[in-house]
Amino acid sequence: MDYKETHINFLYDDLIKEYGNEQGTRLYALMCKKFVNLCEKEMKSENHEINEHVFERLLPTISMYLTLMENDFTQEEALMIAHKEIQHHASNMAEENAKLTKMPFTYGLFKMFAKSHMKKKYPIEGFTVEWKRHDSNEIHFNIVRCLYRDMCEKFCCPELCTVFCQSDITAFSGYEPKIRFERAGTLGEGAECCDFHFIHGNH
């Protein structure tokens, strides 16, 4: 098991670029070992989407982060590297999201699929979503229970959750100016919920 099948499939190349061939390869091997170890301990869900969150996004990042701290990186340095890798993926997502803005009625299409998308991609096994608004001006929902916070706490790295929270802002920037994303806080940052506001931009 390595990172090629995960959301951070570019990790090896990034490590080599940053630390050179020898140290980059060594760190990557240690991260893969940790990743395999964590995967073996984690039960697979019957829900495919939960498995994607856990085995393609959460555990790869957690094992990268924990490996760095076990190898003389400070928590601050490890967080910075995790942030950089997750932002790399979020930037790729922003490019994907930007494709929707090329279509007419961007907001209308987004609104049409928002609820079914959330139900499928953020299932009740891992997330509690409360819908607040779903109209022609704004889509607003709150996540009050989040698999990302639960998993980061389980592996004793609650501070890592903010790295995932911040990636939303980057990924959703791809919808601008047709759809503007706003948020007041996240569970990972200590707020009572993660609030998601998608506001109709240029008509």
Side-chain angles (χ1 to χ4, degrees):
M1 172 101 66
D2 68 11
Y3 282 77
K4 295 285 182 251
E5 302 298 315
T6 75
H7 285 201
I8 46 175
N9 54 9
F10 37 74
L11 178 63
Y12 177 75
D13 294 339
D14 285 356
L15 289 170
I16 297 297
K17 200 187 302 177
E18 189 70 31
Y19 302 105
N21 204 34
E22 192 179 334
Q23 196 192 358
T25 302
R26 186 181 75 86
L27 282 171
Y28 184 71
L30 290 168
M31 289 170 184
C32 288
K33 190 177 174 185
K34 172 77 78 180
F35 181 33
V36 169
N37 183 263
L38 295 189
C39 286
E40 283 171 353
K41 291 178 182 169
E42 201 60 38
M43 289 282 290
K44 281 264 170 125
S45 168
E46 289 180 12
N47 186 297
H48 167 74
E49 302 296 340
I50 292 289
N51 286 335
E52 186 175 331
H53 285 292
V54 171
F55 294 97
E56 294 181 30
R57 194 154 189 222
L58 272 157
L59 291 183
T61 311
I62 290 169
S63 37
M64 169 180 64
Y65 179 66
L66 295 178
T67 300
L68 289 166
M69 289 207 291
E70 287 165 8
N71 286 272
D72 302 322
F73 287 78
T74 65
Q75 184 185 81
E76 193 180 0
E77 288 167 339
L79 265 179
M80 204 167 71
I81 294 162
H83 175 78
K84 191 174 164 187
E85 294 305 312
I86 291 297
Q87 285 292 322
H88 187 158
H89 178 257
S91 298
N92 294 345
M93 292 302 297
E95 287 178 23
E96 281 298 305
N97 291 339
K99 292 175 183 174
L100 185 66
T101 66
K102 306 285 185 283
M103 301 172 76
F105 315 115
T106 297
Y107 180 84
L109 283 169
F110 186 90
K111 176 173 168 279
M112 190 187 300
F113 294 110
K115 286 193 173 183
S116 58
H117 173 83
M118 286 302 297
K119 190 175 180 181
K120 180 174 188 288
K121 292 288 184 184
Y122 296 84
I124 54 170
E125 288 90 338
F127 304 87
T128 302
V129 181
E130 293 178 350
W131 286 89
K132 299 295 182 184
R133 191 170 169 185
H134 186 256
D135 58 39
S136 57
N137 292 316
E138 184 181 339
I139 293 156
H140 169 200
F141 56 85
N142 294 336
I143 291 183
V144 295
R145 180 178 59 94
C146 173
L147 179 65
Y148 284 78
R149 187 177 71 160
D150 294 346
M151 288 285 285
C152 288
E153 286 183 351
K154 178 179 175 178
F155 287 98
C156 303
C157 53
E159 67 283 354
L160 186 62
C161 189
T162 59
V163 167
F164 296 107
C165 305
Q166 290 154 5
S167 72
D168 290 341
I169 296 161
T170 304
F172 298 142
S173 70
Y175 293 127
E176 291 176 353
K178 300 281 188 75
I179 300 167
R180 197 170 75 251
F181 175 66
E182 290 182 2
R183 133 177 313 161
T186 67
L187 291 163
E189 294 158 351
E192 288 185 2
C193 68
C194 308
D195 60 324
F196 290 74
H197 302 259
F198 296 91
I199 297 155
H200 197 168
N202 296 353
H203 291 251

